[in-house]
Amino acid sequence: MTLFDLSGRVAIVTGGNGGVGFGMGRGLAAAGAKIAVAARDAAKSKAALADLGPESCFVPLDVADEASCRAMVAATLDHFGRLDILVNNAGTSVRKPPDAYSAAEWHAVLDTNLTGAFICAQAAYPAMRRRGGGKIINIGSMFSIFGSAYAVPYAVSKGGLVQMTKSLAAAWATDNIQVNAVLPGWIDTELTRDARLQVGGLHERVLARTPAGRWGLPEDLAGIAVFLASAASDFITGAAIPVDGGFSASG
């Protein structure tokens, strides 16, 4: 369907070399987009590029560093000549009781998950405005909605990401830039595998609460990525859409 066709479009996916970011990148590539995988690990990214196709490229990124975020956009423009889609997916978490966090740990999570996403969006904005529009997809979490007793800075960052999404959507709507958030549920990734090791009984609790009866897979995020990156979502902005097998709908 031409409504979902991304042929000729260029997308940056931060943290696009694995997990949710890779799943979304694969969906965008299948719809015709050229993908810039922005990440720290060049070797891991090389494997992702082999799957995403010959028109994909690797762009080094430390999302917690402002200069790196701005260089990422510049490098993508140098390589492809345009930028249409930004997926702010790169993230991190530190799991421990709230009273055990250091200020450095708090800032490390917020700087990566929230401040970094803002700087990437800010850096992408001029290129999108020059082209007459664009799509920004911010990756939140079910902890954008719920609290987390064992990952307070992560939950704070993901809640803030939704408010940032709404604010940028309001600010940039007249530039034809749609800004939306995706809130993944429990997806089987490297990050959540660590969580299962650190939080006893997590696997069983997730299965018991999720109406779909399973953990999500990275490819479950492909469809929402294509929708929010395409003309099909041109009148949708400021939304925060759960993709969680019904987890957030369950009482």
Side-chain angles (χ1 to χ4, degrees):
M1 294 178 62
T2 57
L3 198 60
F4 297 91
D5 184 18
L6 299 178
S7 297
R9 306 288 179 87
V10 172
I12 293 174
V13 183
T14 70
N17 57 4
V20 167
F22 181 56
M24 298 184 98
R26 290 185 77 187
L28 296 173
K34 301 171 184 177
I35 311 298
V37 174
R40 289 182 297 182
D41 190 332
K44 184 178 178 182
S45 297
K46 184 177 180 180
L49 295 181
D51 187 281
L52 293 171
E55 291 192 297
S56 58
C57 76
F58 168 67
V59 179
L61 171 68
D62 176 358
V63 76
D65 179 75
E66 179 178 355
S68 181
C69 294
R70 299 192 186 281
M72 169 196 72
V73 172
T76 301
L77 292 170
D78 286 345
H79 187 87
F80 290 115
R82 62 186 289 170
L83 174 60
D84 305 279
I85 303 153
L86 169 66
V87 180
N88 273 319
N89 167 74
T92 191
S93 185
V94 177
R95 300 178 189 91
K96 55 175 61 176
D99 53 291
Y101 285 102
S102 67
E105 290 170 325
W106 174 273
H107 286 296
V109 176
L110 271 290
D111 287 350
T112 298
N113 296 358
L114 183 57
T115 305
F118 173 72
I119 298 301
C120 289
Q122 191 183 59
Y125 170 71
M128 292 183 175
R129 183 180 59 182
R130 284 195 301 270
R131 289 203 62 82
K135 305 280 187 174
I136 298 175
I137 305 169
N138 296 319
I139 308 307
S141 164
M142 74 196 85
F143 293 121
S144 299
I145 304 170
F146 305 115
S148 175
Y150 55 84
V152 174
Y154 181 83
V156 169
S157 70
K158 294 301 185 178
L161 199 70
V162 169
Q163 292 303 317
M164 186 187 85
T165 296
K166 294 178 180 181
S167 299
L168 295 182
W172 294 344
T174 55
D175 297 305
N176 193 33
I177 297 172
Q178 290 81 52
V179 188
N180 292 290
V182 174
L183 313 184
W186 288 104
I187 310 298
D188 185 15
T189 67
E190 185 177 330
L191 195 65
T192 59
R193 285 176 210 130
D194 289 344
R196 274 176 273 184
L197 292 174
Q198 295 170 359
V199 182
L202 177 62
H203 176 69
E204 293 75 18
R205 292 200 301 274
V206 168
L207 291 182
R209 174 159 177 163
T210 304
R214 66 174 176 87
W215 284 66
L217 301 171
E219 51 262 40
D220 289 321
L221 281 298
I224 192 68
V226 173
F227 172 61
L228 291 178
S230 71
S233 62
D234 280 353
F235 200 58
I236 298 172
T237 196
I241 304 173
V243 180
D244 62 3
F247 187 95
S248 59
S250 182

